Amino acid sequence: MKITALAGGIGGARFLRGLTQSEKVTREVDVTVIANTGDDIWVHGLRVCPDLDSIMYTLGGGISAERGWGREGETFTCKDELAIYRVEPTWFGLGDKDLATHLIRTTSLNAGYPLSEVTQALCDRWKPGVDLIPMSDQRCETHVVVDHPETGARVAMHFQEWWIRYGATLPAHEFIQVGLDTAQPAPGVIDAINNADLILLPPSNPVVSIGTILAVPGILDAIRNASAPVIGLSPIIDNAPVRGMADACLRAINVETNAAAVARHYGSRSNGGILDYWLIDQRDSDSLGEIEELGITARAIPLLMTDVNSAGAMANSALDLVLGN
Amino acid sequence: MKITALAGGIGGARFLRGLTQSEKVTREVDVTVIANTGDDIWVHGLRVCPDLDSIMYTLGGGISAERGWGREGETFTCKDELAIYRVEPTWFGLGDKDLATHLIRTTSLNAGYPLSEVTQALCDRWKPGVDLIPMSDQRCETHVVVDHPETGARVAMHFQEWWIRYGATLPAHEFIQVGLDTAQPAPGVIDAINNADLILLPPSNPVVSIGTILAVPGILDAIRNASAPVIGLSPIIDNAPVRGMADACLRAINVETNAAAVARHYGSRSNGGILDYWLIDQRDSDSLGEIEELGITARAIPLLMTDVNSAGAMANSALDLVLGN
């Protein structure tokens, strides 16, 4: 069986770890992960791919359990030095272990290797147990249109600056993916969608993770037309994001922060959207009917990933619902 | 008074620290240091300038007292990670604090700033108390022609590989400065020589530090023709290098490892060379006559830099000899 998942960083990575460690995902199951690279950023001359790395480190056993991003047992010596030199950005968490990944990626990219091949090379070490593919080999960075907090002028700032430096507190007028017009799906992306037996949307941010992937020309159409069923898991529980600041993102695209609104935003495949199935949390079971009316099969289950086992149980529920028990 | 010094890394840096902290170097003395950049190397995509950094860190109070290169209280987390990724070179000592310097330098160089300006910017933090100028803004790297230890083929390897990885144990047939044909002295270098009241050669490696600087087109001639007296301090004591592996370098250019042979190699200014004065260690006082016969004024003094004070005493002796007491 071939499972293809679209994923952002922390939430996606944790769900995928549950999936790959679930008893239903045996050696006969190939998992391909198409990762969001809209968060990617050049920092101090290094190419940083937060979502690719969160997935790689999480599935490869190197992630910081506490932070959910970066490496376990990390130090920030170099970052502190850069701050003493007064070189911006000082707000980006560049760990000393993590730096090795960025140095290798940057030298490889500068030598002309595409991001997809570089990612594969990095995974030689991490052995994440999935085929990890960036959504695109082209630079396609999410910027956020905001009123600048000091000048008041309407400006576009990099997603990371909005997310990390300002904690997504500046109201977002719009998200813009710089480079989208010339971006193509990375090699393997469309095939992974076309050849999948099951397509999964982990509980990643619907706007700046899943939405960003879907925006790469060709990916949304491929999912709409895929032969495999598509099942999503709501990142919204009890009208709030499980983690991160998805509400600030949803607000910018005029989508309410609740599980049914996100389902409506994605839409049913029978109606030109991308969802066949939608898993919501038990606390949101009131909206099951509303979701079913969209033409999407819905179930309410426990959706809080407190550990690998709960994430695995969520993955099992998703597989059960689509494949039958 | 204006003092201009040519200098390599550790030995040069320690001497210069003695000089700048000596009571004879008051606020009225401007010291300009022209640093060897032949050791510079691209490592993991970063531009590393070992001699510039040794001088900057030593004079700025950030040097590792024990190693003499890199930062005090340094960690090597990133380096260890790179080794786990099996990315070469694994033999280069890239510290986590040090990385900040290399990241800033690399992004600045890639943005188009010349090395001399980047060095000045880095010195804004370190305040070394001297004008620190690279010998050239152009890439001009020393390579060593050796018989490859495995294949036996005659190859040119980067100086750092020969020096660090092989500990200068591979017999050197020749030193080649790649890029020398198009290299020019960095802005300020020739002026610093022409306008100096005193030109100093610290006890740096005569071949791959001082020799490399002198090879940059225009520098040797400027020193030959300078109005200032030139005084050198022998890096060879008792027929052995004080530290480092200068003997392996001298052997490659057929110069014996003793204080008089190095003086002969530099030559007297009265005879087309660059030395007016040559300070040797007390243990080598037997060769004073031989050196004087070259037309070079020589003195034997204690030349071992065990600490800042002994380096300062050496600097004082040099100033006394040239300027009178």
Side-chain angles (χ1 to χ4, degrees):
Chain A
M1 187 172 72
K2 293 178 195 297
I3 297 177
T4 296
L6 277 52
I10 304 177
R14 287 183 172 169
F15 173 78
L16 291 167
R17 184 172 53 184
L19 175 74
T20 53
Q21 296 185 13
S22 131
E23 74 271 14
K24 291 188 187 291
V25 174
T26 59
R27 290 184 182 202
E28 285 79 49
V29 179
D30 293 325
V31 179
T32 300
V33 178
I34 301 166
N36 171 42
T37 55
D39 298 11
D40 294 6
I41 188 169
W42 288 99
V43 180
H44 301 297
L46 300 177
R47 190 64 177 163
V48 181
C49 303
D51 288 1
L52 281 171
D53 288 350
S54 285
I55 296 167
M56 186 172 76
Y57 293 159
T58 301
L59 299 184
I63 198 82
S64 160
E66 189 191 334
R67 288 192 310 273
W69 58 266
R71 300 287 306 282
E72 188 70 40
E74 186 61 289
T75 53
F76 292 88
T77 309
C78 181
K79 176 180 187 284
D80 293 344
E81 278 295 313
L82 287 163
I84 296 172
Y85 272 115
R86 298 175 177 276
V87 179
E88 291 296 336
T90 50
W91 42 264
F92 196 86
L94 213 54
D96 298 324
K97 287 186 180 182
D98 205 19
L99 268 171
T101 302
H102 308 322
L103 283 168
I104 294 169
R105 176 186 293 123
T106 304
T107 46
S108 303
L109 290 173
N110 286 344
Y113 293 96
L115 181 60
S116 50
E117 287 185 32
V118 177
T119 303
Q120 216 172 354
L122 291 168
C123 285
D124 280 350
R125 169 181 174 191
W126 291 101
K127 300 188 179 12
V130 303
D131 282 332
L132 180 59
I133 318 179
M135 66 188 199
S136 177
D137 277 336
Q138 281 80 45
R139 187 172 176 176
C140 184
E141 293 175 358
T142 305
H143 282 63
V144 191
V145 179
V146 295
D147 297 329
H148 193 279
E150 284 160 30
T151 65
R154 190 155 290 199
V155 295
M157 64 172 61
H158 192 285
F159 172 75
Q160 294 293 353
E161 186 171 9
W162 181 72
W163 190 256
I164 297 175
R165 185 176 186 185
Y166 293 106
T169 54
L170 304 176
H173 298 297
E174 197 184 347
F175 294 98
I176 296 172
Q177 284 175 256
V178 178
L180 195 62
D181 48 338
T182 54
Q184 297 170 349
V189 165
I190 298 298
D191 281 351
I193 295 168
N194 288 344
N195 301 333
D197 299 304
L198 174 65
I199 296 172
L200 268 170
L201 306 187
S204 294
N205 189 309
V207 188
V208 295
S209 295
I210 305 289
T212 307
I213 301 172
L214 294 172
V216 176
I219 294 185
L220 178 62
D221 281 345
I223 293 180
R224 276 181 180 142
N225 300 319
S227 58
V230 181
I231 181 164
L233 294 95
S234 176
I236 307 296
I237 297 180
D238 202 14
N239 305 321
V242 177
R243 68 166 291 148
M245 300 156 284
D247 47 341
C249 302
L250 288 166
R251 209 173 296 130
I253 61 165
N254 295 312
V255 173
E256 285 179 63
T257 302
N258 64 63
V262 175
R264 182 176 296 109
H265 168 65
Y266 281 141
S268 75
R269 287 227 292 178
S270 55
N271 203 14
I274 58 167
L275 288 180
D276 297 304
Y277 301 88
W278 189 235
L279 287 177
I280 62 174
D281 189 71
Q282 289 172 320
R283 278 165 278 185
D284 300 315
S285 53
D286 281 357
S287 57
L288 280 172
E290 183 185 346
I291 299 165
E292 294 270 356
E293 272 175 29
L294 299 166
I296 299 166
T297 303
R299 290 286 185 283
I301 63 162
L303 271 196
L304 217 50
M305 293 187 287
T306 48
D307 55 18
V308 178
N309 291 333
S310 54
M314 285 165 54
N316 284 343
S317 297
L319 299 187
D320 283 348
L321 178 57
V322 180
L323 308 173
N325 211 328
Chain B
M1 188 173 68
K2 294 179 195 295
I3 297 177
T4 295
L6 276 53
I10 304 177
R14 288 183 172 169
F15 174 78
L16 291 167
R17 184 173 52 185
L19 175 74
T20 54
Q21 296 184 14
S22 129
E23 74 270 17
K24 291 189 187 289
V25 174
T26 59
R27 290 185 181 200
E28 285 78 50
V29 178
D30 293 325
V31 178
T32 300
V33 178
I34 301 165
N36 172 42
T37 55
D39 297 10
D40 294 6
I41 187 169
W42 286 100
V43 180
H44 302 296
L46 300 177
R47 189 64 177 162
V48 181
C49 303
D51 287 0
L52 281 171
D53 289 350
S54 285
I55 295 167
M56 185 172 76
Y57 293 159
T58 300
L59 299 185
I63 198 79
S64 161
E66 188 191 335
R67 287 194 308 275
W69 57 266
R71 300 286 308 281
E72 188 70 39
E74 185 61 290
T75 53
F76 292 89
T77 309
C78 182
K79 175 179 187 284
D80 293 344
E81 278 295 313
L82 287 163
I84 296 172
Y85 271 116
R86 297 174 178 278
V87 179
E88 293 295 337
T90 50
W91 43 262
F92 196 86
L94 213 55
D96 299 324
K97 287 187 181 181
D98 204 21
L99 267 170
T101 302
H102 308 321
L103 283 168
I104 294 169
R105 176 185 293 125
T106 304
T107 47
S108 303
L109 289 172
N110 287 342
Y113 293 96
L115 181 60
S116 50
E117 286 185 32
V118 177
T119 303
Q120 216 173 356
L122 291 168
C123 285
D124 279 350
R125 170 182 172 190
W126 290 102
K127 301 188 179 12
V130 303
D131 282 334
L132 179 59
I133 318 179
M135 65 189 200
S136 177
D137 277 336
Q138 281 81 44
R139 187 173 176 176
C140 184
E141 293 176 358
T142 304
H143 282 62
V144 190
V145 179
V146 295
D147 297 329
H148 193 279
E150 283 160 31
T151 65
R154 189 157 289 201
V155 295
M157 64 171 60
H158 192 285
F159 172 75
Q160 294 293 351
E161 186 171 8
W162 181 73
W163 189 258
I164 297 176
R165 184 176 186 187
Y166 293 106
T169 53
L170 303 177
H173 297 297
E174 197 184 346
F175 294 98
I176 296 173
Q177 283 175 255
V178 177
L180 195 62
D181 48 338
T182 55
Q184 297 169 352
V189 165
I190 298 298
D191 280 350
I193 295 169
N194 288 343
N195 300 333
D197 298 303
L198 174 66
I199 297 172
L200 267 171
L201 307 187
S204 294
N205 189 308
V207 186
V208 294
S209 295
I210 304 290
T212 308
I213 300 171
L214 294 173
V216 176
I219 294 186
L220 178 62
D221 280 346
I223 292 181
R224 276 183 180 142
N225 300 319
S227 58
V230 181
I231 181 164
L233 294 94
S234 176
I236 306 296
I237 296 179
D238 202 14
N239 305 320
V242 177
R243 66 167 292 147
M245 299 155 284
D247 46 343
C249 302
L250 288 166
R251 208 173 296 131
I253 60 165
N254 295 313
V255 173
E256 284 180 63
T257 303
N258 64 64
V262 175
R264 183 175 295 110
H265 168 64
Y266 282 142
S268 75
R269 287 227 292 179
S270 55
N271 203 13
I274 58 167
L275 288 180
D276 296 304
Y277 301 87
W278 189 235
L279 286 178
I280 62 174
D281 189 71
Q282 291 171 320
R283 278 166 277 185
D284 300 314
S285 54
D286 280 358
S287 56
L288 281 172
E290 184 185 348
I291 299 166
E292 295 269 359
E293 272 175 29
L294 298 167
I296 299 167
T297 304
R299 289 287 183 284
I301 62 163
L303 270 196
L304 217 49
M305 293 186 285
T306 48
D307 56 18
V308 178
N309 291 335
S310 53
M314 285 165 54
N316 284 344
S317 297
L319 300 188
D320 283 347
L321 178 57
V322 180
L323 308 173
N325 211 328

